[in-house]
């Protein structure tokens, strides 16, 4: 008889960072729908989902430490390490203040959160799943997105290193690289492209959607379905990998 691994997450505890945005909020809904107890965090004051929510500013060292302690307390089986910020600038105008902000959240806080979850899983002897959110920008440089691309390349590298370090504990670490995804964040991204490239509002969003080989932008649920796969027994023999969910933008 076929051994079809279940996608059921009943009895599992999931932590989702960056939970108030489109991709994070969708992950909360998907994990909860499959039975997980979901704990969510973001910088927003309130959260409209059904998860247990805590606000943390991950650029503040005290709050980052509090977030890591909170993760230790909830004892996750699943970490969806999604919190990130975006900004634009070439190597001529992306200054060190922008570098500090982007690397502060996208790499430094990302690493601290991953480490806290990993230590908890080891202490609790949980064969957990850590899912890091990279980006298609982590696979290649982009002229206007110097610092952001570098942060997401770091996410991919840390995913591989963490996976090898945690393999003896049977903790799996993988990443997802979304392509262009239609979320509220795209209003901000589109405005930045309008500033740097002189485009009309909405023009860049239309162009990037049409440039995807499948011909359209993704939806948050496209990313969440990959997250469910990585969180559940379907991917039990998979670690140190980065799944590109991008409509064909990145060929690997």
């Amino acid at each position: 008889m076929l051994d079809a691994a279940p996608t059921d997450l009943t009895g599992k505890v999931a932590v989702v960072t960056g939970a108030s945005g489109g991709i994070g909020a969708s992950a909360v809904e998907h994990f909860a729908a499959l039975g997980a107890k979901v704990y969510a965090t973001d910088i927003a004051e309130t959260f409209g989902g059904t998860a247990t929510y805590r606000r943390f500013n991950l650029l503040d060292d005290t709050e980052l430490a509090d977030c890591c302690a909170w993760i230790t307390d909830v004892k996750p089986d699943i970490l969806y390490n999604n919190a990130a910020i975006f900004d634009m600038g070439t190597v001529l105008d992306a200054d060190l203040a922008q570098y500090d902000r982007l690397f502060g959240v996208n790499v430094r806080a990302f690493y601290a959160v991953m480490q806290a979850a990993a230590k908890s899983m080891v202490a609790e002897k949980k064969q957990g799943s850590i899912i890091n959110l990279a980006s298609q920008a982590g696979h290649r440089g982009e002229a206007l997105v110097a610092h952001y691309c570098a942060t997401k390349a770091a996410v991919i590298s840390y995913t591989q290193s963490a996976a090898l370090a945690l393999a003896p504990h049977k903790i799996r670490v993988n990443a997802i690289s979304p392509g262009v995804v239609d979320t509220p964040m795209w209003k901000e991204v589109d405005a930045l492209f309008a500033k740097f490239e002189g485009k009309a509002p909405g023009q860049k969003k239309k162009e990037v959607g049409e440039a995807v080989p499948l011909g359209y932008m993704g939806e948050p649920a496209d990313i969440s379905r990959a997250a469910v796969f990585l969180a559940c027994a379907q991917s039990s023999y998979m670690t140190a990998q980065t799944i590109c969910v991008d409509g064909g933008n990145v060929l690997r």
Side-chain angles (χ1 to χ4, degrees):
M1 184 176 179
L2 177 65
D3 180 16
T7 57
D8 182 35
L9 299 177
T10 300
K12 302 294 185 182
V13 174
V15 168
V16 178
T17 68
S20 66
I23 289 176
S26 176
V28 168
E29 293 175 359
H30 278 71
F31 290 153
L34 291 171
K37 170 64 176 175
V38 184
Y39 292 85
T41 180
D42 207 316
I43 198 170
E45 292 293 341
T46 59
F47 181 70
T50 57
T52 300
Y53 182 75
R54 286 284 302 274
R55 179 194 181 277
F56 296 106
N57 176 3
L58 300 183
L59 277 175
D60 181 280
D61 279 354
T62 300
E63 293 197 32
L64 176 57
D66 289 345
C67 180
C68 291
W70 175 69
I71 289 170
T72 300
D73 288 342
V74 304
K75 300 178 176 61
D77 300 275
I78 301 158
L79 170 65
Y80 193 68
N81 203 0
N82 173 63
I85 58 176
F86 179 85
D87 207 344
M88 291 178 64
T90 73
V91 293
L92 296 176
D93 51 29
D95 60 21
L96 292 181
Q98 184 187 114
Y99 174 97
D100 288 341
R101 289 195 308 275
L102 267 67
F103 272 81
V105 176
N106 299 6
V107 182
R108 189 171 185 269
F110 146 84
Y111 177 80
V113 165
M114 179 176 68
Q115 184 181 62
K119 285 183 175 181
S120 172
M121 290 173 185
V122 170
E124 298 297 321
K125 295 181 170 56
K126 290 189 172 186
Q127 296 182 12
S129 174
I130 295 173
I131 306 162
N132 295 322
L133 268 291
S135 167
Q136 68 177 21
H139 297 273
R140 64 190 185 207
E142 295 185 23
L144 289 174
V145 199
H147 293 329
Y148 183 78
C149 288
T151 66
K152 291 305 184 177
V155 168
I156 294 169
S157 181
Y158 272 123
T159 295
Q160 294 170 352
S161 296
L164 296 176
L166 295 172
H169 302 281
K170 301 300 185 287
I171 297 167
R172 299 181 297 109
V173 188
N174 294 288
I176 299 172
S177 281
V180 288
V181 180
D182 194 359
T183 70
M185 181 182 174
W186 250 97
K187 184 176 181 179
E188 172 190 341
V189 174
D190 190 78
L192 285 168
F193 274 108
K195 171 185 173 182
F196 280 91
E197 294 185 341
K199 295 183 181 295
Q203 182 181 349
K204 187 66 177 185
K205 182 178 179 180
K206 180 175 183 294
E207 290 174 355
V208 298
E210 291 174 347
V212 174
L214 285 180
Y216 57 92
M217 296 179 76
E219 298 290 337
D222 295 318
I223 313 304
S224 297
R225 285 189 284 269
V228 167
F229 168 71
L230 292 175
C232 74
Q234 293 276 345
S235 59
S236 61
Y237 196 56
M238 187 172 182
T239 196
Q241 304 305 307
T242 299
I243 299 177
C244 295
V245 184
D246 59 12
N249 268 351
V250 175
L251 305 181
R252 311 180 56 245

